[in-house]
Structures are given as C-alpha cells and as structure tokens.
Amino acid sequence: MTTKAVQAYLQEHHDRFLAELTDWLKIPSVSTSAEYAGEMRRAAAWVQEKFESIGFPVVEIMPTAGHPLVYAEWTAHPGQPTLLIYGHYDVQPAEPLEAWLSPPFDPAIRDGNIYARGSVDDKGQVMLVLAALEAWSRAGCGMPINVKVILEGEEETGGESIAAWVRSGTDRLRADAVLICDTHMIGEKQPSLITGLRGILYTEITAYGAARDLHSGSYGGVAPNPIHALCLLISRLKGEDGVIRIPELAAELRPAPADEKEFWNSDPLKLEEALCREMGVETLVGEDKYPPLERIGARPTLEVHGIRGGFTDPGIKTVIPAEATAKVSLRLPAGLKPEEVFTWLEKAVRHCSPAGHRIEVTRLNGGEGLVVSPENPFIRAAAEAIETTYGEKPVFMREGGSIPVAALFDQVLQVPVILMGFGLPDDGPHGPNEKLSLAQFKKGMATVADFLGRLRQ
Amino acid sequence: MTTKAVQAYLQEHHDRFLAELTDWLKIPSVSTSAEYAGEMRRAAAWVQEKFESIGFPVVEIMPTAGHPLVYAEWTAHPGQPTLLIYGHYDVQPAEPLEAWLSPPFDPAIRDGNIYARGSVDDKGQVMLVLAALEAWSRAGCGMPINVKVILEGEEETGGESIAAWVRSGTDRLRADAVLICDTHMIGEKQPSLITGLRGILYTEITAYGAARDLHSGSYGGVAPNPIHALCLLISRLKGEDGVIRIPELAAELRPAPADEKEFWNSDPLKLEEALCREMGVETLVGEDKYPPLERIGARPTLEVHGIRGGFTDPGIKTVIPAEATAKVSLRLPAGLKPEEVFTWLEKAVRHCSPAGHRIEVTRLNGGEGLVVSPENPFIRAAAEAIETTYGEKPVFMREGGSIPVAALFDQVLQVPVILMGFGLPDDGPHGPNEKLSLAQFKKGMATVADFLGRLRQ
C-alpha cells in the first residue's frame, strides 16, 4: 500500500512536474531524422539529470550504434521484487507543421490538455512515472521495491539498439515484471489495461517502369506507369472489404477465445459510435464481419502510410514517371513472426504485380505482438491501483498498436509485461496537435505510485 | 520554291541561331509556378526583340489575364496567302532537378544534341521558324507570303488566354492555314507529318477520410484510408488490361478508318521495338489487342501523372493520413468534348469510389483532339518541303499528344492546321534531360524556309 505521504507529495509538487515535462517537451527529439541528433542527446541528458535528482544511485547513458539508451537503477532491497520500467524519449516527426494550432515543440495548455509532440507518446507518460518514483524517494518513505528504468531513443525508428540490449542477456535486465506506460485507456471514466498488442511489419514498396520519365502524349497507351502499377498492386493486396489477400497469413489466423469474442461482440463500450466520433466519419471501414474491438486489437491490418510518385506540385504536368513508392505496414496478431510474414508479402507482391513493371519490397522494421495473461499478481496489483485512483475497475482489452520491445521482454525475460497506459483515444499521437490530458497526467502518477507500493512484500 | 540565297543565309548564320536559342533557353520561363512570372516576361521580351530584329513591321506584346501573348505580323503582299504560325515560349517545370546531367537552364551540347528544358518543347522549334523567317527577310528575297506569328506563354498550364484570343474573332486571326512546329517525327531518317492529335482532359482527384491524421495502431482496421481509396478507385477506372472503364466513353469510340487500321497493323516503322528501346523496357503495357500506333495515336488513355499522400520522407511513420491526391488525365480521340468526358469521369468516380471516403474530382484543363485531311495544298507543300530536305517522303500519322489550341484553330478558323514537328522520339520533353537534335534544328529551319517559299503564288 502506498502511503498518504507519497500521494501528498505528488499533490504538492504537481505544478513543478508539469513544468519539468514542459521543458522536456521543448527538446525536439525526433529520432527518424539525422538533423536532430544533437537534440536526441539533449533529451537523453535531460532525463539523466532527472534520475540523479530523484536520487537513483546508478544512472548511466549507454551509447549505441544509434541513439543512446538511458539506464537508472535503485536496487537496495534484497527480498523485494524488481520492476523493470521501460519508456522512450524520442518522438515522431511533427510534420505537417501547418496543421498544428500551437507549435509542436512549444507546449501549450488548452482545455485541460497539454499540446506538444511527445506529450502522450511518450514523454508525458515517462514523466508521470518519474514523478511517482520521486515521490517515493523524497516523501520520506524510501523506494518500496527494487526499480530499474530503461529509456530508449529509437522507439519511433525501429528500436534496434534496445532490441540488441534485451537480447544481450545483461544482468541489468533481471526483473520480476516489466512496466510500460506507452498505451491508452478507453476513456477517463472507463480505465483499461492492455492484455494484447499486435506486432508490426513496416515496408517500402517501389514500382519501376521506363528508364526515364516519359511524356504521356507520346507514350500514353503503351508505357508502363509505376503509379498505376502500385495502385493495382495495393488494391489486390487488400480489397474494399478490408480482407488482406496474403494466403499464408490468412491460413495462420486463429479464431479468438470465446470469452474475448463475446466481450468484443457485446461492444460494451459503444466503440463503433466512439470511433466514428473520434475520427469524424459516419461509418467504419474494413472487415465488417468482425466487431470493431476485434478489428483494432486482434485482426491483422494492411495500411498504406504514404505514397509518392510523379508530379504533385500545383498545376499540370503530363508526365509518366519512371518510379513510384509507397510505405505499407502490416499489423500482426501475436504469434506471427514479422520476418516470416515479410516472405509471404514478397510472394504476394510478386503474384499481384501487373506485367511490365519491376516491383521491389524493402523491410524497414518489424516486431512481434504480445498477449499477457490477466492471471498474475502484477496485473492484479495494477488493476487494484487503477481502481483506487479511478473508482472503477479497469477492463482488460487488446490494443491495436505495436510495441515490439514489449514482445521482446516477454520472450527474453519470461516475466509479466504490464501495459498500463494513461493516454486517451483522442490524444492523436503521431498526428498534429498531439496532446495529453492533464487529469490523466495527475491520475497516472497517483496510480503508478500506488502500484509501486502494492508490489512491496 | 525557296531560293538558294535563303538556304545559304541559314548555313552562314547557323551558329548565331544556335547561340540565340541558347540565350533564350537560359530564361526559366516556367508558366505553372507564380514565382517565375518575371522570367515569363523576360522570355516574352526576348522574342519581341527578335521579331523586331528580323524586321517585322508589327510586333506587340499583348497582356492577358495570365502570361502575355507575343504577336508579330508581316502582311505586305496582297494576293499572297497568309500563314498563321503558332508556338509557345513557356516550358514545363524542370523537377526532379537531380535527374539532369547538366542544369536544365544552362544549355549544354553533347553528342549532337542541345540539352535544356524547352529545347524541343517548344523554344527550339520556335527558334528554327524564326531563323527561316529571318533568312527570307535578310537574304535579299523579301518575305514570300503574308506571315502572322502568335506565341503564347500558357501552353503548359492550360492555354486559357490564347483560347480566349482565338475565340475573340479578331482580324489578326485571318489566315489561309496554320503552321505549328511543336510535335516530333518518327526518326531522323523517317520524317513524318501529323494528321491527328488526341484531345486531353486533365484532372485532380482527392480522397478524404477521417477529419485528422490517425495512428494506424489505434485505428488500423476500422479507419478510412484515403491512399487505399485512391488505389482502389484508380485500379477500377483502368485495369491491368489498359481498358478504361467509363461506359459513356467506351460507347463513343468508333473503329478507325480501314486504311489507317491497315497501316497501323502493318507496323511498317517497327514501332514496338523502337518504343521498347526508347523507354528502356522489355514489353509494352496497355490494350494489347490494338497495335502500338493506334494505342498511341487514336485510342483514349487514362494516366496517373502524380500521386501524393501521408508520410513519404525516409524512415517510418505509422500514420493513416486524412487525405491523398492524384493527378489523372485522359487523352481523347478527336471528336470527344473534354467537358462532356469530365461529366462521365465524375460519374465513374462516384460509381467506383470505395465506401466510407469522400472523393472529389477537379477539372484542371481540357482541349479537343484534331484530325487533319492530308488532301489539301498546304499539307502537300509541307510534305514536299520535308522530302526536299530529308530526301524521303514523310509518312502521315497521328500523334498521341494534345495541342488543344490546334483543335481550336481548326474549329474557329476552318483552315488546314499543319503539324510539322522536328522533335525526335527520344527527346524527352517534360522529363529530365530534355534535348533537341542539332541536325533536326538545322534541317527544321531549312524545311520551314522551303515550305514558306512553296506557298508563294
């Protein structure tokens, strides 16, 4: 049980925690672009100082082939369980900048939210964990359990360095459970805990036609058109019905457990209505024979994230371009290996490519999915901590997002991975005007502090 | 008959003509972008001075709502026929710049060609006409017929101002024939004259999904994806077989005349082989039941010139964008009205659009096609002039390109439109490394000079 002193400390220092988060959000730690390498180092150094000020006896910036890992350790309690906490200090690119109501790296508070790139994904959620750790450290109670924290800077760009670190089998990994605060709840009044994550395979598909750009007047009718080829290919890989036409993938899909299926079908959360409202659309799109919760959490998806080819400036140009390219990902139910799915995709692309074009698929990134059993003491403690703060029992559900490192912790450490996120569905991570609810920020730190206390034996 | 003096003058001053062309090509008169408005004025002023130096008694820059028209007139010979010559001083955008071996606006001579944006389309072809006119003016023979020249600056961006001018019915339009040097020949050794041009309808198709960009992890499986919608739509409008699925268009297509069909089927020019070589591909794409000459010259086409949506920078972003857009044109056999085809296209887009997306089609530009009868004295004179220069009779053929103003001259003036172009198939207009063969430049001016002499009565 957490003490009153810890919760009082969180109340008392709340405004400073928000100010610290604001400072951190001002650092544009965009990991996908080399031009921000210096900002990545600043963001790592910022959190290193924060760990030191909390009182962690071990704090280290670990260089990698990519962006550094930040590690902190406080393991003074033999006999107590050890919790490994994961988060990331890198953020998505902020483009398109013109769509932001306030600048992405100049945090603004409006309507009870803080708006900035990284506010919910993931600096805000790391900050509420840091606040909970500081409260235990400084409120006079001492850290209740052994804590290790690992923060990476490549979550938005493949996570290769942390994957290598987890696979390294270092002693620093040894823990009884992993806590990740990088997901969202159904709503502020309906808390939830994630018991499943989809895996991901992210690729780039490029179509090539003639050796050079052509004039459509002279060659239209006989020339290969790589844009058209991509359109044909993509429409063959997934039809309007939302069904992915990769036979090996279809053959691997298993029906969901009956109890989950029943929960999804009952749609207790009125999710269809909520999703339409969040997206600003009238109907959902996709495999309509599956309920929305199943489509988002358990079915595979194939999405095109970007496409580019030919002349796209304002005005007119009658060109047939020599190439066109698209970014295509697959979200994968737990148990599927991205490497294997990639070979299936390559085969499907060969099979579906229109004649007269050369089409290449490149694998940019991949990570496996995860299913967590709700039957373990760490998940139960997390659920109780949530109920204490929110006054409502959390529902257990699968989320559609992918956190490849979560699956990796699961495989390598073989301990429960607690996915306790405090985002809300309309936070818009990865898009413009990303935000974090200030109420969730506050409840999040109270919940994590409570959770830490509950783990003490 | 042209005089020896005129041809000798062309020989003697050839290098200066090339130097003048080089100067003109250095002016980046890109009509599609507002930032080049000053360069457009410079390019117009350049040709105005050139007309004056040739000795045209009337030279005028005519302001328009868009880029100015340049008009020159030399009509001192009552009783002689009047030829209206058309050309354009604007050029296509030069992007992608990195694909050019030498800068697009710094003309370079390599392998018997001059490389620059506008070299063949159309400044080089206007320059060879100017050289022929100067030779007649300055070689002591006097202008053999009445000549009017109209140059526009909006050919690459819709040609609205010249269309309004042609429709105005001004006296300046009165002529017995129109000459346009803005097309290409089959080859340097196989000259050709164009007896048909396709019309064009150029549109932009934009698909809209959710009200904002979404994270594919949270919404993939239920969210509309405008890129996917565009791919589905485009693949439905034209399949891999190259057949355009617009029922009203299909219903309007008439079989080609038997003699042309026979000529196309015989493929006397080994066009299939030549086209593959020019494009650097192994097979042609499209409606394989029609011979290449028919597909290029007489069949309608639907081509995607550009597509853009979502995240296209290097790296990874798991976004589902709120919108995506494509530029799509139709080339139209003569006789079809672009305005009417646009209504058919709109209907087909509504019919083919996947559910859950809003799709809008905007008409950017349109122009009708043209068929010229080879049975008139102006075409015969053109064919004789070509035979004199090249030592080969030209073949009569249809070209796939569209020159909307040519169709308009035909409709409004009701006089023969002579399409005598000196480009070659591998010149690459609209693409990077656009070029003009120096041999064709020289033969072109000799041919035009000869043609002018043949029209004298």
Side-chain angles (χ1 to χ4, degrees), chain A residues 32 92-96 117 121 156-158 184 198 200 202 204 209-225 227-228 230-232 234-240 242 275 278-281 283-287 291-292 295-296 300-321 324-325 327 329 331 352-357 364-365 399-402 425-432, chain B residues 32 92-96 117 121 156-158 184 198 200 202 204 209-225 227-228 230-232 234-240 242 275 278-281 283-287 291-292 295-296 300-321 324-325 327 329 331 352-357 364-365 399-402 425-432:
Chain A
T32 54
Q92 281 273 323
E95 286 72 21
R117 171 57 84 230
D121 182 17
E156 307 293 4
T157 181
H184 70 267
R198 288 188 290 199
I200 190 168
Y202 199 108
E204 193 163 83
R212 59 184 171 88
D213 286 2
L214 300 171
H215 188 302
S216 73
S218 310
Y219 295 96
V222 297
N225 185 327
I227 302 177
H228 191 237
L230 268 190
C231 290
L232 287 167
I234 289 168
S235 64
R236 287 167 184 174
L237 290 175
K238 187 176 85 166
E240 181 174 353
L275 285 167
E278 286 162 27
M279 296 194 286
V281 300
T283 56
L284 301 185
V285 166
E287 297 181 296
R295 269 142 78 185
I296 287 185
T301 65
L302 184 150
E303 292 292 347
V304 195
H305 304 293
I307 193 164
R308 184 184 55 189
F311 180 75
T312 58
D313 292 342
I316 284 167
K317 185 170 179 181
T318 52
V319 68
I320 298 178
T325 190
K327 306 216 186 222
S329 85
R331 299 271 175 181
C352 297
S353 290
H357 302 80
L364 296 188
N365 183 23
E399 184 181 276
S402 310
D426 64 346
D427 283 347
H430 294 207
Chain B
T32 54
Q92 281 273 322
E95 286 74 19
R117 171 57 85 230
D121 180 19
E156 307 293 3
T157 180
H184 70 266
R198 288 188 290 198
I200 190 167
Y202 198 108
E204 194 163 84
R212 60 184 170 88
D213 287 2
L214 300 171
H215 187 303
S216 75
S218 309
Y219 295 96
V222 297
N225 184 328
I227 303 177
H228 191 238
L230 268 189
C231 291
L232 286 167
I234 289 167
S235 64
R236 288 166 183 175
L237 292 175
K238 187 176 86 167
E240 182 173 355
L275 285 167
E278 287 162 25
M279 295 193 287
V281 300
T283 57
L284 301 185
V285 166
E287 297 180 296
R295 268 142 78 185
I296 286 184
T301 65
L302 184 149
E303 293 291 349
V304 194
H305 304 293
I307 194 163
R308 184 184 54 190
F311 181 74
T312 58
D313 291 342
I316 283 167
K317 187 172 177 179
T318 52
V319 68
I320 299 178
T325 191
K327 306 215 188 224
S329 84
R331 299 271 175 183
C352 297
S353 291
H357 301 80
L364 295 188
N365 184 21
E399 183 180 278
S402 310
D426 65 345
D427 283 346
H430 294 207

Side-chain angles (χ1 to χ4, degrees), chain A residues 66 161 262 334 354 456:
Chain A
S161 298
E262 196 186 317
R456 181 165 50 186

